[in-house]
Amino acid sequence: MFEKYFDAVVLARRHLTDRIVEFTIGAADGGALPMAEAGSHVELRFGGETGRFLRHYSVVGPLLPTAREPFWRIAVQREDRARGSAHLHANVRRGTRLRISRPIGAFRLGRNLPHVLLVAGGIGITPILPMLRSLVTRRQSCSMVYAGTSRQAMAYVEEARAIGGERVRIHESDRDGLPDLDAVLAGQPVGTVAYVCGPAPMIDALREAARVRGWDPCRVRYEVFNAAHHPGDGDFDVRLRTGETVHVGAGTTILDALEAAGVDTLSDCRRGECGLCVTDVLDPHDGIDHRDSYLTAGERTASTQLALCCSRAAGRLIDLDIHLDRNGK
Ligand code: FES
């Protein structure tokens, strides 16, 4: 049986923008990396012997269609209060060892679609760029909108243009305002399926525009970038049913903190999408900052459940229906 994590080493790093650094990563033993599909992400454990940070990053490439990968690239945007990205920017250099997971394919491109519309917002380009490469390689009909504040702040603009040519439209919101997503959808061929990755408000706007146009919801497939971490997040305590408290720092998630404390939990996507980590809340105290896209609006309002992988306590304490010594939930 394969181990989930293996040892990797940073082969190179380079600045893509002021806030985005690209790391090229290879297997520590020099061997080939596992196959990764366009849209896959990996979990990175870093920060000392204990690997106190766990973060997810999309595999940017090269994603060769035929060979096992000699290296992967990931791109990390520094968030001012997100300690994981700040730690990577400050400490990870060529030669740094990391623990990295096998690729996780939670955001998969469908096959044989009439037309694919790719929409990337900011650092959301990271899963979208390999999708563009895959679609162009397969001669699949596609187009792409890549929105960011300004070209200087956007990673991989030239690479996207080189791969997709005229199919790629760059939108700079500092100059042109927010992209008109309804107009984008209006120009799509019948049966188009959209893949979107970026900030939650952009994804919500695209889904709403598609709903108003009568698109079947399954025609908009999305991955929320960085659902778990917002600038300005504070720390808080989780109190378990068995009485122990586990501290959740500003730069980590409840799920990561529980795992570090030795609590066995169920999880899969770790992005608030699959619902596997959803747990009963015994007392929300000052409320819950829901960040998943799994619970319904009614379930959120009830404040009786939360997704451990991304949602947070609104105040300094939350009581969850979890035992310290159990296996699974
Ligand atoms: S692990 Fe999928 S919603 Fe939390």
Side-chain angles (χ1 to χ4, degrees), residues 1-159:
M1 188 167 139
F2 287 125
E3 292 261 343
K4 178 174 181 183
Y5 293 94
F6 61 91
D7 290 317
V9 62
V10 175
L11 303 174
R13 66 172 270 166
R14 65 172 174 140
H15 273 274
L16 301 178
T17 72
D18 278 356
R19 288 177 58 207
I20 302 175
V21 169
E22 178 192 81
F23 297 95
T24 301
I25 294 171
D29 64 5
L33 294 166
M35 286 287 279
E37 283 180 64
S40 303
H41 67 273
V42 288
E43 293 176 3
L44 221 60
R45 284 195 177 273
F46 56 95
E49 286 294 303
T50 54
R52 70 182 187 279
F53 295 113
L54 186 150
R55 294 288 184 274
H56 298 241
Y57 296 103
S58 297
V59 179
V60 175
L63 300 185
L64 306 170
T66 52
R68 283 166 68 84
E69 302 285 296
F71 62 86
W72 289 332
R73 294 179 293 160
I74 61 169
V76 179
Q77 177 164 283
R78 191 189 65 246
E79 308 294 345
D80 293 337
R81 294 283 304 274
R83 294 180 305 157
S85 61
H87 179 96
L88 279 174
H89 276 232
N91 300 302
V92 175
R93 300 269 177 277
R94 185 161 180 248
T96 303
R97 295 284 182 125
L98 303 164
R99 292 284 286 167
I100 191 167
S101 76
R102 294 174 177 280
I104 300 161
F107 189 39
R108 284 210 171 92
L109 264 179
R111 296 268 168 170
N112 304 319
L113 301 171
H115 182 82
V116 173
L117 167 67
L118 301 173
V119 181
I123 192 67
I125 185 65
T126 52
I128 297 294
L129 186 72
M131 286 185 168
L132 176 69
R133 191 185 300 111
S134 171
L135 292 166
V136 169
T137 304
R138 289 192 270 130
R139 299 181 194 282
Q140 160 86 59
S141 171
C142 64
S143 55
M144 173 169 155
V145 176
Y146 177 15
T149 51
S150 68
R151 198 167 289 226
Q152 298 90 297
M154 295 164 71
Y156 300 123
V157 170
E158 295 314 320
E159 193 166 339

Side-chain angles (χ1 to χ4, degrees), residues 156-175:
Y156 300 123
V157 170
E158 295 314 320
E159 193 166 339
R161 276 266 167 77
I163 295 169
E166 293 302 307
R167 286 168 280 211
V168 176
R169 206 184 95 209
I170 305 298
H171 183 98
E172 295 174 82
S173 55
D174 276 357
R175 192 188 63 191

Side-chain angles (χ1 to χ4, degrees), residues 238-244 282 319-324 326:
V238 168
R239 188 158 57 201
L240 311 185
R241 184 133 71 97
T242 36
E244 303 86 353
L282 298 175
D319 282 55
L320 299 181
D321 188 11
I322 289 177
H323 292 266
L324 184 61
R326 67 190 173 166

